[in-house]
Amino acid sequence: MNASKAFVSVPLCPLWLRFFLPLFLLALSTTIACKEVPLPAATPSAAAAAAVTKSEAAAAPKAPPDNAALPQIDAKRAFQYTREVTAFGPRYMGNEAHKKLERYILDHLKGDQVEDDAFTADTVEGKFPVRNIIAKFPGKKDGIVVIMGHYDTNYPLRNIGYVGANDGGSSTAILLEFANQLRVAPGKTRDGYSVWLVWTDGEEAVSHWSDTDSLYGTRHLAEKWEKDGTLKKIKALMVMDMIGDADLNIDRDTNSTGWLLDLIYAAAEREGYQSHFYARAGPIEDDHIPFAKLGVPCADVIDLDYGYNNVFHHTAQDTMDKLSPKSLEIVGNTILETVRMLDLR
Ligand SMILES: [Zn+2]
């Protein structure tokens, strides 16, 4: 594929093509937005809250106040990971930089319970080795919370100086920081659900995005987990993608599960980060789709407004200078808080 085609190709970026129309409609009418985005029990709207009089509030049974400490990731460290991952250069399936990055991820998981899901993908551009890396942090509660993020970059963009700082870099890094936060003393287990971190491979298309040219790693993993019974144990699956943009606006993906999106919003609210969430809504295709199709509660945590009109997405301009440690902190703390709230359910 030539570079100019890669720069302008809409089929290469079907996400925002599919995104555009619903966004436009939503922007036109907040009434439609309210209808299409039903408010959850977990996050009553300001209007609904205001409607409750003082006496009604006193009479209603109240949940005890949640005074738990807020999670705090090391955002500087997460940003440094992003820088180091990006410095490997183009990291498409099977190339030398991809192999170096695999080793880099594994080096950061020494002492953790790590598994591989490796296979060969047969694509329109030939065969590629694909390797999902899974780190398991066991918990006392029966059930699994999965957090995913892809670490590959685009094969068609391999010769344009594309380094995917946000798209591929930020997702790899935030998962490494989650591993730091989830690690408990040797021989001990988490109090809540088991948490599995998955660095997914082959998320990107090798030619033009389609159902068969995309999501190579997660389509394979979803099938595997369906066969071995893992899927039934998954309480929630959250995908991190393009979460480093300094101008952070996490989209509300309508292909995701409503209650889980709402729980993430409630977690963000608890941290005071809610202004960075859900200003726009629309359907997004990402690593959660193969699992969502099989009934797993899923949330795609993604900011698909990367630069004005998403102009940095899948271009050589996806570089570190567009990113901020604060954005990693907002998403990181929110997702860890979501895990804590899931543990309480
Ligand atoms: Zn991408």
Side-chain angles (χ1 to χ4, degrees):
M1 164 173 282
N2 68 51
S4 64
K5 196 173 174 195
F7 269 95
V8 297
S9 169
V10 169
L12 195 67
C13 317
L15 304 184
W16 56 277
L17 176 71
R18 282 151 213 239
F19 211 78
F20 181 77
L21 185 61
L23 291 183
F24 181 69
L25 291 174
L26 284 172
L28 278 178
S29 165
T30 51
T31 314
I32 291 173
C34 287
K35 279 180 188 160
E36 290 196 353
V37 185
L39 289 158
T43 56
S45 70
V52 177
T53 66
K54 271 183 189 166
S55 59
E56 280 172 327
K62 259 183 136 182
D66 190 343
N67 295 322
L70 296 171
Q72 185 59 56
I73 68 156
D74 186 333
K76 262 192 190 163
R77 180 169 57 188
F79 198 67
Q80 180 58 23
Y81 289 153
T82 314
R83 194 181 296 285
E84 288 166 9
V85 169
T86 303
F88 285 117
R91 313 173 288 284
Y92 57 90
M93 292 180 284
N95 83 335
E96 206 41 54
H98 189 287
K99 285 181 197 137
K100 280 184 191 159
L101 178 53
E102 291 171 42
R103 282 193 289 274
Y104 174 92
I105 294 169
L106 294 171
D107 280 349
H108 284 79
L109 299 173
K110 285 214 174 102
D112 298 331
Q113 197 182 322
V114 178
E115 275 175 28
D116 261 8
D117 171 38
F119 62 100
T120 302
D122 211 345
T123 81
V124 290
E125 295 287 339
K127 289 191 186 339
F128 288 91
V130 185
R131 184 183 190 183
N132 299 311
I133 299 171
I134 306 161
K136 299 182 173 179
F137 298 88
K140 295 192 179 89
K141 268 185 104 165
D142 191 21
I144 306 162
V145 172
V146 179
I147 310 176
M148 300 185 152
H150 77 94
Y151 71 104
D152 62 307
T153 59
N154 311 53
Y155 178 75
L157 306 182
R158 66 194 178 283
N159 296 322
I160 65 157
Y162 178 77
V163 294
N166 196 22
D167 194 359
S170 68
S171 40
T172 308
I174 199 73
L175 261 64
L176 290 172
E177 178 57 17
F178 285 154
N180 294 335
Q181 299 294 331
L182 291 165
R183 217 164 269 136
V184 288
K188 295 217 168 161
T189 53
R190 300 189 70 245
D191 283 332
Y193 292 118
S194 295
V195 178
W196 292 6
L197 303 177
V198 187
W199 286 261
T200 70
D201 197 6
E203 188 268 342
E204 303 286 5
V206 299
S207 178
H208 292 86
W209 188 283
S210 70
D211 287 353
T212 52
D213 184 13
S214 66
L215 311 179
Y216 292 97
T218 41
R219 280 190 285 134
H220 187 268
L221 192 60
E223 204 181 307
K224 181 177 161 176
W225 281 355
E226 188 185 31
K227 279 187 197 141
D228 71 10
T230 299
L231 278 197
K232 286 195 211 86
K233 297 180 198 156
I234 300 177
K235 301 295 175 188
L237 182 151
M238 296 179 279
V239 173
M240 310 292 112
D241 201 0
M242 301 174 69
I243 43 99
D245 184 4
D247 177 21
L248 185 71
N249 300 291
I250 299 297
D251 296 304
R252 187 177 171 101
D253 163 42
T254 53
N255 286 333
S256 292
T257 308
W259 70 258
L260 185 54
L261 293 175
D262 295 338
L263 192 68
I264 291 169
Y265 190 83
E269 256 187 329
R270 218 178 150 247
E271 309 255 5
Y273 297 145
Q274 65 270 29
S275 65
H276 297 278
F277 286 77
Y278 305 162
R280 314 185 308 159
I284 301 174
E285 293 183 8
D286 206 345
D287 267 335
H288 59 312
I289 295 294
F291 303 94
K293 278 182 182 164
L294 295 170
V296 175
C298 292
D300 191 22
V301 178
I302 186 168
D303 173 357
L304 256 184
D305 187 22
Y306 184 31
Y308 178 75
N309 259 345
N310 206 24
V311 286
F312 301 146
H313 186 208
H314 289 173
T315 75
Q317 295 174 81
D318 182 0
T319 45
M320 285 303 294
D321 55 297
K322 317 295 188 304
L323 312 189
S324 162
K326 186 70 194 173
S327 298
L328 299 179
E329 181 172 74
I330 289 167
V331 172
N333 289 349
T334 298
I335 296 308
L336 288 183
E337 176 63 7
T338 305
V339 171
R340 191 190 67 84
M341 291 166 100
L342 283 164
D343 286 342
L344 298 174
R345 288 163 71 98

